[in-house]
Amino acid sequence: MIKKFLQHVFRGKKKPAPHTPHEAERFPRRAHGIDRKLISPAAMKTIQELHKAGFAAFIVGGAVRDLLLKRTPKDFDLATNATPEQVHRIFRRSRLIGRRFRIVHVMFGAETIEVTTFRGSHLSDDGDSQIADSGRILRDNVFGSQEEDAARRDFTANALYYDPQSEEVWDYHHGLQDIKAGMLRIIGDPVTRYREDPVRMLRAVRLSAKLGLKLHAATEAPIPHLADLLDDVPPARVFDEMLKLFLSGHAIESAKALRAHGLHHGLLPMLDVVLEQPLGTSFVTLALANTDERVLADKPVSPAFLFATLLWHEVLLAWQKHQDQGERPLPSLMRAMDEVSDTQSQKLAITKRFSIVMKEIWSLQPRFEQRAGQRPYRLLENPRFRAGYDFLLLRCQSGELAMDLAEWWERFAQANAEERAAMLLPNSEPAKRPRRRRKKPSTAAQ
Ligand code: ATP
Ligand code: MG
């Protein structure tokens, strides 16, 4: 009887959900191999000061993961048990950021270290009032313990805390083991975690493509079934995530992975069209390859240019439609541009400062076809000439226009005054229109 009772107490106790907070395993230097010299001096200094003031402070998230994978971290984010106000008081050169959940930016010359107070569970005491019917977390703004902070992070590899003073890695969810196995695994029940925040599905795809980690089977399996949840995410957040995805230096793998997981529908109309087809030397593939090359060579990339390429075939389609209905080419193009960017903004809000440049790049395109009189000179002076030309080059390389048009502009841009004058097409004759594909863009994309 007593035995039964004890069994009931010990075995019958409700098993905690896999992502309920629990203690960390602590690994010394020889177990994880992170070299302290790779930590930015600014992050080191911030941690030392927080320790001196009696607080816990760790490097956390992407930086620890990247160091374990022998990659150079983009930035060093810190987590601490000090409140934002306490952190702000310690560092003269710091700013409190954010209204809802305040974080602190500590500035050291050109470097900014983001310091976040440990965050707690999203469940409030009176139940799940901060969760929408779909399971999506609406507010996420409570301070918590370090264990709770670890439990609300997305992947086991992202829930590692490194203390460069003791050189210990604190691991709450077997992240070290997963990283060693080349595995990206969500913390807790995948369906619940994706419902809480559907952007985690995009992050899963992006991080596994970027880091060469395999998605754990249970982390991967529900994604195609839950893809529609992304419809409810505010478009500005989707935009931020897509930007990271396309500017990661692994845009092609990421785009392929989005397609493989059924996540591309509705995000960008162009991805729907292009990714449904075998990825060949289509316009978008060329553009993504170009972007990857630039990112990996540490050259600047323009998000406006990238989105201009991703949406171009939509614009072409609408432009052609309006012209077929008898509208003149330029007004047709303007209308097409507006239509495409309006439809797009319902799903993914391209920031205004990018969408303005995107439209400028598009609207320059017909001007490259005018090669007589003063017009080519005026186009050369346009501040967007270079971006417009690079865009034209992609159009030519993908077979949309004849290559000699891009070649003409390349020569014209480099020629002296005399050579330029000789290159102009005669004023009396209309500029010869380069060959335009008759096929619809959807088939041209193969
Ligand atoms: P990257 O190298 O691209 O910056 P990252 O993992 O550092 O990747 P961030 O957006 O900088 O991505 O996020 C920092 C950390 O915050 C992550 O490592 C993770 O622990 C946590 N995090 C970010 N987004 C989420 C999310 N949607 N849900 C749960 N935790 C998240
Ligand atoms: Mg990061």
Side-chain angles (χ1 to χ4, degrees), residues 62 74-75 77:
K74 263 196 329 225
D75 37 39
D77 296 334

Side-chain angles (χ1 to χ4, degrees), residues 246-247 290-295 299-306:
F246 284 119
L247 300 181
N290 223 3
T291 309
D292 282 349
E293 226 170 82
R294 292 186 67 89
V295 172
K299 291 189 193 159
V301 282
S302 144
F305 185 89
L306 180 66

Side-chain angles (χ1 to χ4, degrees), residues 65 74 153-154 158 197 200 203 206 210 244:
R65 177 198 70 209
K74 263 196 329 225
R153 291 182 182 271
D154 45 9
N158 281 348
D197 181 4
R200 288 175 186 149
R203 288 178 56 84
R206 172 171 73 82
K210 173 175 138 178
K244 282 193 181 180

Side-chain angles (χ1 to χ4, degrees), residues 232-246:
D232 298 334
V233 176
R237 253 199 100 201
V238 178
F239 176 74
D240 286 346
E241 197 52 41
M242 293 300 272
L243 203 56
K244 282 193 181 180
L245 196 136
F246 284 119

Side-chain angles (χ1 to χ4, degrees), residues 428-446:
S428 49
E429 281 174 39
K432 199 175 90 197
R433 275 186 72 79
R435 176 175 66 88
R436 188 183 287 285
R437 279 205 167 180
R438 297 306 309 166
K439 280 191 214 160
K440 289 209 162 128
S442 57
T443 45
Q446 280 183 354

